[in-house]
């Protein structure tokens, strides 16, 4: 970029508040940073040579009910164990919660349909026991390996995902559409389910196909393609309502199960295009607009409140540890 008197490269300001990172991990070209080694089949919906933007199809209607599920997690305290042999293992006491927002599109109403809170002590210690701090219990979740402290936060994802599946299963009805905030991962067996990825970390498509994605207008999507990653599955990009900005502004990636037929995946892609844009957030209300969907933002706030006061839990855990040492 040059000064005011010279011509230079164009630049854009990401709409996201910098405190939340960026809506994409930028490489030199202003897109997802890391080229993926995944095999991509781009000929699912259209031959790769004919790729073009896909508009809303007139015969596709949004479902009457959309369920949006999300989870939050927080580390309440870092802990260390004292083993009988003089050794020690790190651990974390974590709280997590999952919930579902039920959006009745016919009535134009949204409500919290279900939410649950879980807690756990995550450590590789063979001798660790559940921590009981007053009315709060942190059951032991024993991790494999040496249990390095830096790797323990990732261990919370498994129980959190299980909690998300449990709360969503409890409220599902025939004909609804379930949208999971984030990759589907182990939830690919859930019917009529989409994974919604806000931040783009990996570059899956070559330059020519990427140009189709960055050229999408709001309310358009790219053709469905298939990823040969560890989890596999069908995927596509769509652009939410956004007022200009960087080439990837307002672009999200959506995915569905590899167990579906190509026709079923395309049907879900069409359904996502008439459903997701109506939930897009606006910059003056949300620092991660438009990708952070309005019902998800409200759900996250509600779930964080359910985790309890972090300072109080830290004090209770500290007191419990002193009691154990005595």
């Amino acid at each position: 970029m040059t000064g005011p008197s010279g011509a230079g490269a164009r630049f854009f300001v990401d709409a996201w508040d910098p405190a939340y990172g960026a809506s994409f991990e930028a490489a030199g070209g202003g897109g997802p940073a890391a080229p993926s080694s995944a095999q991509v089949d781009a000929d699912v919906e259209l031959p790769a040579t004919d790729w073009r933007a896909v508009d809303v199809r007139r015969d596709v209607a949004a479902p009457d009910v959309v369920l949006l599920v999300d989870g939050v997690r927080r580390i309440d305290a870092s802990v260390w164990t004292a083993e009988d042999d003089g050794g020690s293992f790190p651990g974390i006491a974590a709280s997590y919660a999952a919930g579902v927002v039920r959006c009745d599109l016919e009535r134009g109403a949204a409500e919290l349909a279900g939410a649950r809170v879980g807690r756990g002590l995550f450590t590789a210690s063979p001798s660790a026991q559940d921590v009981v701090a007053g009315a709060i219990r942190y059951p032991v979740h024993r991790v494999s390996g040496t249990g390095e402290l830096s790797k323990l936060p990732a261990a919370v994802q498994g129980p959190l995902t299980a909690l998300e599946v449990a709360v969503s299963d409890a409220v599902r009805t025939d004909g609804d559409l379930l949208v999971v905030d984030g990759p589907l991962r182990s939830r690919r067996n859930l019917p009529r389910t989409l994974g919604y990825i806000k931040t783009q970390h990996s570059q899956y498509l070559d330059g020519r196909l990427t140009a189709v994605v960055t050229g999408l207008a709001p309310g358009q999507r790219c053709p469905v393609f298939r990823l040969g990653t560890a989890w596999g599955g069908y995927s596509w990009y769509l652009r939410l309502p956004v007022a200009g900005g960087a080439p990837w502004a307002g672009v999200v990636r959506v995915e569905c199960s590899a167990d579906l037929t190509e026709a079923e995946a395309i049907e879900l892609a069409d359904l996502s295009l008439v459903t997701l844009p109506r939930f897009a957030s606006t910059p003056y209300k949300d620092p991660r607009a438009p990708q952070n969907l309005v019902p998800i933002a409200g759900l996250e706030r509600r779930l964080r409140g359910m985790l309890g006061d972090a300072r109080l839990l830290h004090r209770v855990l500290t007191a419990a540890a002193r009691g154990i040492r005595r």
Side-chain angles (χ1 to χ4, degrees), residues 101 112 286 292-304:
V101 176
L112 181 66
D286 194 307
N292 200 37
L293 303 181
V294 172
I296 292 293
L299 177 59
E300 287 177 343
R301 290 192 295 269
R302 183 73 173 270
L303 293 176
R304 289 194 181 98

Side-chain angles (χ1 to χ4, degrees), residues 104-262:
D104 188 324
L105 301 187
E106 189 174 14
R107 294 192 300 115
E111 61 184 359
L112 181 66
R116 299 184 190 176
V117 175
R119 306 186 198 275
L121 174 65
F122 296 82
T123 180
S125 167
S127 65
Q129 298 179 357
D130 295 359
V131 174
V132 180
I136 304 297
R137 177 181 292 272
Y138 290 82
V140 171
H141 291 261
R142 198 156 279 110
V143 302
S144 59
T146 56
E148 297 95 326
L149 184 61
S150 61
K151 296 181 180 180
L152 292 178
V156 184
Q157 186 60 50
L160 176 55
T161 297
L163 203 60
E164 292 177 358
V165 171
V167 295
S168 57
D169 280 350
V171 299
R172 298 213 68 177
T173 57
D174 292 340
D176 63 14
L177 177 68
L178 179 67
V179 180
V180 173
D181 190 49
L184 287 178
R185 295 191 180 97
S186 59
R187 295 166 287 201
R188 293 185 178 277
N189 62 322
L190 301 178
R192 305 180 311 285
T193 301
L194 300 177
Y196 177 82
I197 298 91
K198 293 191 291 281
T199 305
Q200 309 311 315
H201 298 282
S202 298
Q203 179 76 46
Y204 294 110
L205 305 175
D206 63 31
R208 185 174 57 82
L209 301 183
T210 296
V212 174
V213 175
T214 57
L216 294 173
Q220 291 182 327
R221 66 172 177 85
C222 77
V224 174
F225 56 96
R226 185 163 183 160
L227 289 175
T229 59
W231 290 109
Y234 298 98
S235 192
W236 58 93
Y237 294 95
L238 64 82
R239 193 184 296 274
L240 299 171
V242 65
W248 286 85
V251 173
V252 297
R253 186 171 66 83
V254 189
E255 61 182 25
C256 64
S257 173
D259 295 334
L260 301 175
T261 65
E262 292 183 357

Side-chain angles (χ1 to χ4, degrees), residues 22-84:
S23 56
F24 54 85
E25 286 195 351
S36 173
S37 60
Q39 294 294 317
V40 175
D41 178 6
D43 299 323
V44 173
E45 183 173 5
L46 290 175
T49 53
D50 294 334
W51 259 44
R52 60 184 181 273
V54 178
D55 292 297
V56 171
R57 303 188 195 279
R58 294 181 179 178
D59 59 340
V60 177
D64 293 335
V65 174
V66 179
L67 303 173
L68 296 103
V69 60
D70 193 15
V72 299
R73 55 187 175 179
R74 186 188 67 205
I75 297 176
D76 296 331
S78 296
V79 303
W80 293 87
T81 67
E83 305 297 323
D84 291 339

